[in-house]
Amino acid sequence: MSADIWILVGVAAVGVAAVVGALVVAVRRRGSEPFAPEVATPVRERELVSVAVPAEGPTEETPPGPPVDDTPTQIEVREVARVVEVSPEQAGVTRRQFFNRALGATFATFLTGFGLASLSFLWPKLTGGFGSDVNAGKVDELLKKTVNDDGTITPVYLPEAKAYVVPAPDPLPAIYEGKNVVAGGVFALYQRCTHLGCRVPWCGASQGFECPCHGSKYSVIGEYFTGPAPRSLDRFVVELNDAGELIIKTGQIVQTPRLDRLNVPYPQGPSCIDI
Ligand code: FES
């Protein structure tokens, strides 16, 4: 898998871990709240009760001695308040629950937005562009454009694929056989230097690619010649469609090591960089 795919998988894994973590925290917080189903919630309730009160009217003077229970009384209806306990379902959502849920919803919204933004940034465009299959056009015309009248080479640069199309040697060196990196007699070389990733420009004078950052040099077919680059230029898997057009699979990169012997001569003239 390419580095982008690994990054994508990593972001997805982090997103899933974050969501699981948020759920675990939410469940724990809910379990520690004092509003668990088995714990009742005190509320005030008002009701009318009948009470016996002393009857109104002239009162006789109470004789000395222990109180007697023959005092005249009357029934009176009064409103009283009392505290009763109800279940959380009866009590409704508490303020703490409301804020906990709002916090969780905000966190989930943020994670979702972040995840979608990351995916849209990393996911290859379905309609073309780097990371997808790029149609470079008729391979015969591409091949013609790469060969000058004097026999020198000028690669065709395709910005959408970040690739140089160059002619492949005939016969094809054994190291490239069976790797699907040649179609219609051309390679598609990745423009990125294998040292630290600078874009490597073409040098017509030397007939090779020369990196201006630290001086790595490669032949016309991207084979390593000199400099700090650890390997030759990377190349893309290519194929021809039924119309004879070159399809560059920019999501599939094939690496080529340094070689003991170049398969095409380099340099063929003065260098374009002074490193
Ligand atoms: S990035 Fe090309 S030589 Fe260092």
Side-chain angles (χ1 to χ4, degrees):
M1 282 195 290
S2 69
D4 285 352
I5 298 298
W6 280 114
I7 293 172
L8 189 63
V9 171
V11 170
V14 170
V16 170
V19 170
V20 171
L23 287 175
V24 169
V25 170
V27 168
R28 285 190 174 171
R29 292 186 71 167
R30 182 188 169 109
S32 64
E33 286 172 357
F35 300 101
E38 67 273 12
V39 179
T41 303
V43 297
R44 288 192 176 279
E45 196 174 81
R46 306 190 82 78
E47 68 176 8
L48 298 176
V49 296
S50 299
V51 294
V53 297
E56 294 180 352
T59 56
E60 297 176 1
E61 193 172 323
T62 305
V68 293
D69 59 359
D70 58 351
T71 305
T73 61
Q74 64 182 32
I75 302 302
E76 190 175 294
V77 176
R78 292 183 179 174
E79 185 182 75
V80 298
R82 63 181 179 128
V83 175
V84 296
E85 294 184 340
V86 297
S87 68
E89 289 74 19
Q90 292 171 304
V93 178
T94 66
R95 186 165 41 190
R96 175 181 299 200
Q97 288 172 319
F98 173 78
F99 281 118
N100 280 344
R101 289 172 189 178
L103 186 65
T106 304
F107 188 52
T109 303
F110 168 77
L111 277 180
T112 303
F114 179 75
L116 289 176
S118 302
L119 283 175
S120 66
F121 176 73
L122 294 170
W123 200 263
K125 296 176 195 164
L126 297 178
T127 56
F130 192 74
S132 66
D133 293 358
V134 175
N135 188 328
K138 297 275 188 190
V139 73
D140 294 345
E141 292 170 15
L142 287 170
L143 197 51
K144 264 188 230 161
K145 283 185 194 167
T146 63
V147 184
N148 302 317
D149 293 340
D150 60 2
T152 59
I153 302 296
T154 300
V156 173
Y157 178 63
L158 299 167
E160 195 179 4
K162 300 183 180 177
Y164 293 101
V165 173
V166 296
D170 188 16
L172 187 67
I175 188 174
Y176 303 113
E177 284 177 1
K179 295 188 175 167
N180 302 320
V181 291
V182 177
V186 298
F187 285 119
L189 304 178
Y190 191 8
Q191 67 176 17
R192 187 174 178 275
C193 182
T194 58
H195 179 219
L196 294 178
C198 291
R199 182 191 163 193
V200 188
W202 169 249
C203 175
S206 68
Q207 290 286 285
F209 296 93
E210 301 180 353
C211 182
C213 294
H214 312 100
S216 290
K217 296 178 181 176
Y218 311 85
S219 75
V220 63
I221 59 171
E223 292 175 343
Y224 171 86
F225 176 71
T226 188
R231 61 180 185 275
S232 302
L233 287 179
D234 296 333
R235 55 203 73 216
F236 298 113
V237 169
V238 289
E239 66 182 20
L240 293 183
N241 64 14
D242 294 341
E245 296 165 330
L246 180 71
I247 306 300
I248 303 176
K249 297 180 170 295
T250 57
Q252 299 181 45
I253 292 173
V254 176
Q255 296 184 351
T256 308
R258 291 183 180 186
L259 304 176
D260 296 334
R261 188 178 61 84
L262 295 181
N263 286 299
V264 294
Y266 175 85
Q268 300 179 36
S271 175
C272 296
I273 58 175
D274 188 19
I275 299 178

